Amino acid sequence: MDQSGRTPRIGVYICHCGLNIAATLDVEELRRFAETLPNVVVARDIQFTCSDAGQNTIKSDVAEHKLDAVVVAACSPRLHEPTFRRTITEAGLNQYMLEMANIREQCSWVHMDSPALATQKAKDLIAMAVAKAALLRPLETESVPVSRDVLVIGGGVAGISAALDLANAGLRVYLVERRPTIGGYMALLTDVFPTNDCSICVLAPKMAEVYANPMIKLMTYSEILAIEGTVGHFRVTGVTKPRYVDPSLCKGCINECSGACPVEVPNEYDFGLGKRKAIYMAIPQSVPLVACIDTNACIGCGLCAEACPADAVKYDQQAEEFKLDVGAIIVATGWQPFDASRKEEYGFGRYRDVVTTLQIERMLNAAGPTRGDIVRPSTGEIAKSIAFIQCVGSRDQTVGNPYCSRICCMSSLKNAQLIKERYPDADVAIHYIDIRAGGEGYEEFYIRAQRLGIRFIRGRVSSVEEGEDGLYVHYEDTLLGKTLMKRYDLVVLSTGLEANRDAEVVGSLLGLSRRPDRFFEIAHPKMRPVEAHIDGVFIAGCASGPKEIQVSIAQGSAAASKAMQLLFKGEIELDPTVAFVDREKCIGCKLCVDTCPSRAISVKDTAFVDEARCKGCGTCAAACPVDAIEMRLFSDEQILAQIRAATAVKGEYPFIVGFLCNWCSYAGADLAGTSRIQYPTNIRIIRVMCAGRVDPSFVLEALRRGADGVLIAGCRIGECHYVSGNLHALQRVEVLKGLLREIGIDPRRLKIAWCAASEGDILARKIEEFVDELKDLGPVGTELVAALPSGKD
Amino acid sequence: MDDAAFTDEVIRLAGDEIRTCIQCGTCSSSCSTAHLMDNSIRRLIRLVLEGRRDEALSSDSIWLCTSCLLCTVRCPRGIRPKAVVSALRQIYEREGLRNRDEAFERIFMDQIRNKGRISEVLLSAAYALRNPDATVPIMEMGIELITKGKVSLDPGTVKGMDEVRRIFEGLEND
Ligand SMILES: Cc1cc2nc3c(=O)[nH]c(=O)nc-3n(C[C@H](O)[C@H](O)[C@H](O)COP(=O)(O)OP(=O)(O)OC[C@H]3O[C@@H](n4cnc5c(N)ncnc54)[C@H](O)[C@@H]3O)c2cc1C
Ligand code: SF4
Ligand code: SF4
């Protein structure tokens, strides 16, 4: 009955699909059967239901028979659900008043040799769909207005390109950068591969553009403190730290103030090679071009304030808090270099002439501490022999970084070339494990380096020792099969890229997940390269793993375009198929909070589901111990009705009820159909959004009603569409098996399986195996009868 | 035992990370006796992975390993090359391939009988006279050891020679 208490009027349409269905199933028999089902007021069999004629039949029936809900028994809902939703909307029904029975992919195509059993199965599938249809409710898609502003966190090259693209499309951007200047690491590099153009020369114009663009509000030396709300309305609090220099007065002349400053400290923008003053400008091209006082170094002498011709130095400047309301957030927080001193055997920090690749970038930089000379720090003399050691802190499990940092081969090829061009007589060698030069023009870049006479030595360096006259590098030339030792003036450690510790706070405020390599995880490792798991949050550049400038820029632009798609209309439609909490029932236990992979649930006395965040997996509904969480679609009531309808007849033995997740297993079952992989007819499949949706009560109900076995199938571990729903399912199954054992039911009657959307054959085989296992176990209850001589259950 | 079974056995004994070896040579270039080995420890792993059983088992490298474990500490793939050596030693002994060098054993025992201990230098010299082929590689190491004061020419005689003699008598009467 629907809300008004009226019994719903249902129309059933059974598709022939030409002969695809009709050749195996007795379609007319199905129609006659459907006519007998409760609430069905009209049933028809149609040649091609998806054709215009078929759709028109449905539409006129809706009007003529005053239908409340429609059941289409045809192909997979994954194929034509959107089509028929449109059909019934056009006929004036709510789009969610549709249910499909999958009698093609999951019946006629997979049971071609057993038409009678297949027809019986199809009857069950139709009865299940009708039972669910009777309980469907209209759901309204709500549109909510959103903020069209975007927050970009991190002003490296990825963040810069995202900000510029958004601003140029007319969206307001807040670009928040924690350092005094934007530019990230690219601003510190010398020439950059694969074209060896000067890095800052190509970047500086972009930095200036950011500064000049009226749609971008640039906030440097600033950090994010809090993020609340969800997609469309993130409420962000941040703080701009005091530079003790008034940006509106500072002329950027820097020599006046820093010339007067008596304090010198190692310059972090030269990676410790050069020195800077307590009042400083990070790089000559800083944006904004405003000095900054390092309070850790400043001794408060007041000399800079005296020296400043513009009176810009303000010792009483205060931190300023800011608040933003943005519709989307782009995380472009970049990377940090591996700490080379952790590889003690290479002597970084102990031997002065062992430097890192970033230090070499600064040495090669004409604006760097050596004005472009490659020197031995110990003597200040030009280095005549230079070794690059690759994979320092990458591909190395001893330091917890098994991954490849992707850009170090190319950056050493580049730096070796630059050195060789500047000093043709220098002996330059690259000690490598594998040269990874995959990218447009990269292999050619490698060839260029070889032609320049750079030596390539295959073998990972085991240690570096300092001798009287230089550094001794130990390695095996694995191509010669000789263990060797060679002297160099300078050793350059090609240090890898690590996840940026500076981004930890932002990551946890947003609830971003991390991969085992500690970089931020994207929603799908191939298909959704810049989306986070959280709606409205995007990730670009090295924040999601090491990558070169070109790819970082591409990702910045991609993230910008995703944010534009989301916010351009100024409103977003909320998917109504979400979870909601029955406040009366909720006991505030918080079990659901950690179950939710989208972090959509919060608990204040009782639980609350943020519908803008919820993705509708239903894991929480299955986890709630008092059934206080319900789903608007795929509700408990609907699924239980499907189970009851499935088990009403039990036309074969063994009889299996299957719960298949929409994204992988159900799709895998469809693939078995399109590939015509045949398997036994014994299973009745119920589609759920996630394996995590399967409530223990579903399993118990199926067994109680006489199913001999229950199959739960989800995405392969690590591939869950909702990240962790399948893990929750697995845990639940373990517990449930224990429970079954206690109540005397053989736990082998419950099976959980993983199957990718591409693994139709695996799913078919699992079903086959399960049927065999259940045959061995005997009908459900055999074990109870054995245990209880009275034979009662 | 066929080749694949040999690989499998070594992997069972020494860990399946071995399959992930990238032949980087960190192990061999960390190895203090690498220059004396016919197959570097890196190559030994390659031989194992390729199922080249006879080459691996007849390699002198498995006896030259000093168990310093630097290879194992440094391997970027978390492989334990030293464990591979141990596995090969174990298989070698089980297969009865024990490297019995009668001449060497006799010289060794004679020195113990007379002095209660061995003199590395005299032992090597006596052995070298009988087995000139094996001399070149060990001479290099010997000179290094002598110059570093790691071996002395005359280590003297142990206390309690009576007891040593009694042990020998006991053993020989068995
Ligand atoms: C030695 C070396 C040489 C290289 N050479 C080349 C080359 O020749 N060609 C090439 O294509 N690539 C090269 N690269 C790679 C290049 O450096 C990266 O592709 C590039 O830096 C990625 O830019 P990004 O914006 O993702 O990150 P970053 O450059 O790391 O920028 C991130 C920005 O975010 C800011 N930030 C971090 N956390 C926060 C926070 N919580 N709040 C606010 N702001 C934050 C940081 O301060 C920084 O400004 C090289 C890398 C190395 C190590
Ligand atoms: S667990 Fe799934 S259904 Fe529940 S709130 Fe989170 S996303 Fe929504
Ligand atoms: S160090 Fe490890 S990975 Fe490298 S060659 Fe030796 S065993 Fe293989």
Side-chain angles (χ1 to χ4, degrees):
Chain A
M1 281 196 291
D2 73 3
Q3 278 145 326
S4 61
R6 199 165 56 89
T7 48
R9 300 170 62 81
I10 299 174
V12 181
Y13 300 88
I14 296 149
C15 190
H16 291 230
C17 196
L19 284 177
N20 282 307
I21 292 172
T24 306
L25 306 182
D26 184 340
V27 180
E28 274 164 39
E29 161 99 16
L30 292 179
R31 193 204 62 231
R32 280 193 295 275
F33 169 75
E35 282 165 349
T36 67
L37 291 169
N39 303 320
V40 174
V41 294
V42 56
R44 297 183 195 281
D45 57 288
I46 299 182
Q47 264 298 328
F48 287 104
T49 318
C50 61
S51 67
D52 281 350
Q55 293 190 50
N56 286 335
T57 310
I58 298 179
K59 283 188 212 166
S60 56
D61 275 358
V62 169
E64 191 180 324
H65 295 276
K66 302 200 169 29
L67 298 183
D68 298 304
V70 167
V71 169
V72 178
C75 54
S76 169
R78 290 177 53 87
L79 189 66
H80 269 320
E81 195 174 61
T83 315
F84 294 118
R85 280 193 173 160
R86 229 177 298 122
T87 313
I88 66 166
T89 317
E90 282 163 17
L93 285 181
N94 179 279
Q95 59 162 326
Y96 291 100
M97 299 308 288
L98 170 81
E99 179 63 16
M100 289 187 74
N102 186 340
I103 59 167
R104 191 180 74 172
E105 280 83 345
Q106 297 185 7
C107 195
S108 69
W109 275 350
V110 287
H111 310 309
M112 293 162 104
D113 302 330
S114 358
L117 285 173
T119 302
Q120 177 55 44
K121 172 172 169 179
K123 283 184 185 173
D124 289 353
L125 294 178
I126 293 168
M128 289 156 70
V130 169
K132 181 172 177 186
L135 297 165
L136 290 173
R137 300 266 177 275
L139 299 175
E140 294 312 326
T141 324
E142 209 186 322
S143 285
V144 291
V146 293
S147 160
R148 291 178 73 212
D149 300 350
V150 181
L151 166 67
V152 177
I153 309 175
V157 67
I160 288 176
S161 55
L164 286 175
D165 282 11
L166 286 163
N168 290 335
L171 270 64
R172 175 167 304 284
V173 181
Y174 299 97
L175 177 56
V176 172
E177 165 59 56
R178 66 187 298 283
R179 295 186 183 244
T181 178
I182 54 171
Y185 280 98
M186 186 180 169
L188 307 176
L189 301 177
T190 174
D191 299 351
V192 279
F193 67 77
T195 40
N196 285 3
D197 31 11
C198 148
S199 189
I200 192 70
C201 310
V202 290
L203 183 64
K206 298 272 167 209
M207 293 162 63
E209 231 183 287
V210 166
Y211 190 69
N213 195 312
M215 292 303 283
I216 301 178
K217 172 111 173 74
L218 176 59
M219 291 129 110
T220 50
Y221 218 38
S222 300
E223 285 185 44
I224 305 294
L225 301 177
I227 303 175
E228 280 164 5
T230 49
V231 55
H233 283 291
F234 291 103
R235 291 179 303 281
V236 181
T237 313
V239 63
T240 300
K241 295 168 277 186
R243 296 171 176 255
Y244 304 104
V245 175
D246 186 337
S248 62
L249 296 176
C250 177
K251 301 281 173 283
C253 51
I254 199 68
N255 283 342
E256 318 292 331
C257 54
S258 72
C261 177
V263 189
E264 269 198 343
V265 289
N267 185 356
E268 64 271 39
Y269 295 91
D270 284 337
F271 307 100
L273 277 184
K275 299 244 187 286
R276 67 160 168 80
K277 295 298 183 63
I279 185 164
Y280 69 106
M281 187 83 80
I283 46 169
Q285 303 81 355
S286 286
V287 168
L289 199 63
V290 176
C292 179
I293 293 180
D294 172 357
T295 44
N296 290 328
C298 172
I299 52 169
C301 64
L303 289 175
C304 54
E306 273 171 38
C308 176
D311 254 346
V313 177
K314 304 284 179 216
Y315 295 120
D316 57 355
Q317 206 177 52
Q318 298 291 317
E320 269 178 50
E321 216 178 77
F322 56 85
K323 287 198 186 297
L324 313 170
D325 177 11
V326 296
I329 298 178
I330 295 175
V331 177
T333 44
W335 55 280
Q336 69 177 28
F338 170 77
D339 172 9
S341 63
R342 289 181 58 203
K343 292 295 297 174
E344 277 176 32
E345 58 268 41
Y346 295 155
F348 179 77
R350 254 181 307 139
Y351 310 143
R352 291 190 64 196
D353 296 340
V354 176
V355 298
T356 67
T357 183
L358 278 168
Q359 290 177 320
I360 273 293
E361 293 277 345
R362 295 306 292 161
M363 276 197 207
L364 281 164
N365 198 313
T370 59
R371 306 271 157 228
D373 286 341
I374 295 300
V375 300
R376 303 175 66 181
S378 63
T379 60
E381 288 162 14
I382 301 290
K384 295 197 178 59
S385 54
I386 299 125
F388 286 86
I389 300 184
Q390 295 308 107
C391 301
V392 179
S394 309
R395 305 183 74 190
D396 187 351
Q397 299 185 2
T398 67
V399 295
N401 293 348
Y403 61 89
C404 164
S405 287
R406 180 159 152 178
I407 57 96
C408 325
C409 283
M410 285 297 288
S411 75
S412 289
L413 284 172
K414 165 192 77 175
N415 290 329
Q417 288 183 22
L418 296 177
I419 294 173
K420 200 70 182 164
E421 279 164 353
R422 222 163 278 183
Y423 308 100
D425 294 334
D427 171 17
V428 183
I430 298 181
H431 292 260
Y432 70 99
I433 310 176
D434 301 290
I435 291 291
R436 295 188 168 171
E440 298 102 42
Y442 287 14
E443 189 68 19
E444 293 86 332
F445 196 77
Y446 180 15
I447 296 174
R448 182 167 187 273
Q450 289 175 306
R451 286 196 191 282
L452 274 174
I454 292 156
R455 288 186 307 115
F456 287 85
I457 302 174
R458 195 200 174 275
R460 186 167 172 275
V461 169
S462 65
S463 61
V464 178
E465 265 179 299
E466 194 172 54
E468 300 264 296
D469 56 341
L471 295 164
Y472 288 84
V473 166
H474 295 266
Y475 60 95
E476 182 188 2
D477 184 322
T478 59
L479 300 179
L480 292 178
K482 284 199 160 62
T483 49
L484 298 166
M485 180 178 77
K486 193 171 163 356
R487 198 205 74 86
Y488 293 99
D489 283 344
L490 188 67
V491 166
V492 185
L493 305 181
S494 202
T495 43
L497 280 62
E498 288 187 337
N500 196 348
R501 229 176 291 117
D502 290 340
E504 267 168 22
V505 173
V506 167
S508 56
L509 286 175
L510 283 169
L512 299 179
S513 359
R514 287 175 182 277
R515 281 193 307 258
D517 64 10
R518 303 182 301 279
F519 286 94
F520 291 133
E521 188 171 54
I522 47 178
H524 188 281
K526 284 182 293 293
M527 307 304 288
R528 299 165 74 191
V530 295
E531 287 158 80
H533 292 291
I534 313 292
D535 279 351
V537 180
F538 306 97
I539 311 174
C542 292
S544 59
K547 44 188 74 79
E548 55 271 57
I549 293 166
Q550 189 220 43
V551 181
S552 301
I553 292 176
Q555 290 208 336
S557 293
S561 108
K562 286 280 170 197
M564 280 180 228
Q565 278 177 44
L566 181 70
L567 305 178
F568 219 77
K569 281 187 277 178
E571 56 174 36
I572 49 175
E573 286 192 348
L574 299 183
D575 185 346
T577 63
V578 292
F580 66 99
V581 178
D582 181 340
R583 294 276 199 82
E584 302 287 300
K585 283 193 193 165
C586 176
I587 51 170
C589 69
K590 297 191 179 153
L591 265 179
C592 50
V593 175
D594 288 337
T595 340
C596 175
S598 313
R599 308 224 320 174
I601 312 182
S602 52
V603 176
K604 251 188 219 153
D605 300 330
T606 56
F608 168 77
V609 176
D610 183 337
E611 298 195 3
R613 274 195 177 214
C614 171
K615 297 212 166 59
C617 66
T619 309
C620 55
C624 176
V626 292
D627 272 345
I629 306 190
E630 247 304 7
M631 305 305 296
R632 293 202 201 276
L633 191 60
F634 298 96
S635 69
D636 280 6
E637 190 188 36
Q638 291 164 1
I639 294 175
L640 287 169
Q642 283 175 290
I643 296 169
R644 286 173 200 138
T647 48
V649 176
K650 261 190 78 180
E652 57 189 309
Y653 163 79
F655 195 82
I656 302 172
V657 173
F659 298 94
L660 269 57
C661 90
N662 180 57
W663 305 101
C664 295
S665 316
Y666 195 89
D670 282 353
L671 180 66
T674 42
S675 325
R676 309 296 195 278
I677 297 169
Q678 305 296 301
Y679 57 85
T681 49
N682 310 55
I683 188 165
R684 305 294 178 263
I685 291 173
I686 295 175
R687 174 180 172 223
V688 286
M689 291 314 279
C690 177
R693 170 69 184 103
V694 180
D695 196 303
S697 68
F698 301 167
V699 175
L700 296 175
E701 180 70 3
L703 292 172
R704 207 168 65 83
R705 299 237 158 212
D708 302 302
V710 172
L711 174 73
I712 300 174
C715 307
R716 294 187 300 203
I717 295 294
E719 296 179 7
C720 174
H721 186 80
Y722 305 98
V723 188
S724 55
N726 52 2
L727 291 175
H728 288 296
L730 180 61
Q731 280 171 5
R732 227 169 272 141
V733 163
E734 296 300 327
V735 175
L736 206 49
K737 277 178 180 276
L739 182 77
L740 290 180
R741 200 174 293 121
E742 255 169 54
I743 59 178
I745 292 177
D746 196 309
R748 284 173 293 177
R749 295 194 184 277
L750 173 58
K751 192 183 184 77
I752 188 157
W754 314 124
C755 153
S758 59
E759 295 180 334
D761 52 333
I762 291 189
L763 190 80
R765 219 176 316 125
K766 291 254 152 110
I767 294 173
E768 233 162 56
E769 279 168 21
F770 199 26
V771 168
D772 289 343
E773 287 161 25
L774 290 172
K775 277 185 187 153
D776 289 344
L777 288 180
V780 70
T782 314
E783 55 270 60
L784 287 173
V785 177
L788 298 172
S790 67
K792 285 186 198 151
D793 64 351
Chain B
M1 194 194 281
D2 72 10
D3 288 350
F6 167 69
T7 306
D8 288 346
E9 181 173 18
V10 176
I11 282 170
R12 201 164 53 246
L13 291 169
D16 66 356
E17 314 79 52
I18 297 168
R19 288 200 200 277
T20 69
C21 174
I22 44 177
Q23 290 289 298
C24 67
T26 305
C27 48
S28 36
S29 74
S30 298
C31 176
S32 54
T33 45
H35 57 297
L36 303 172
M37 293 178 171
D38 51 358
N39 288 307
S40 72
I41 187 94
R42 168 190 64 81
R43 263 199 105 223
L44 209 54
I45 288 177
R46 184 85 197 128
L47 292 173
V48 165
L49 286 176
E50 288 298 296
R52 302 178 77 111
R53 176 179 180 279
D54 295 346
E55 271 168 90
L57 288 178
S58 64
S59 173
D60 64 13
S61 315
I62 50 183
W63 309 108
L64 285 166
C65 166
T66 62
S67 304
C68 74
L69 287 174
L70 257 190
C71 54
T72 301
V73 171
R74 286 183 178 162
C75 171
R77 286 292 212 220
I79 295 167
R80 294 170 298 141
K82 162 66 182 62
V84 174
V85 167
S86 305
L88 292 174
R89 284 181 184 169
Q90 197 177 323
I91 295 171
Y92 189 99
E93 308 221 331
R94 186 194 61 216
E95 306 277 299
L97 296 165
R98 183 188 289 275
N99 191 4
R100 278 187 76 116
D101 185 329
E102 305 268 344
F104 182 86
E105 280 178 17
R106 200 168 51 249
I107 301 166
F108 189 96
M109 291 309 256
D110 282 351
Q111 287 201 1
I112 302 280
R113 195 194 307 271
N114 297 334
K115 302 214 159 201
R117 62 185 300 172
I118 54 158
S119 152
E120 284 100 343
V121 177
L122 294 179
L123 176 75
S124 312
Y127 181 61
L129 285 177
R130 283 178 183 73
N131 201 350
D133 279 355
T135 316
V136 183
I138 61 171
M139 238 160 65
E140 198 185 319
M141 174 160 56
I143 288 164
E144 212 177 297
L145 290 171
I146 292 171
T147 52
K148 288 193 176 159
K150 299 283 182 201
V151 293
S152 68
L153 287 168
D154 182 11
T157 306
V158 296
K159 282 184 222 145
M161 275 311 291
D162 290 349
E163 213 152 315
V164 173
R165 220 161 288 130
R166 229 175 315 116
I167 292 171
F168 268 92
E169 277 165 19
L171 282 173
E172 278 159 5
N173 290 341
D174 257 0

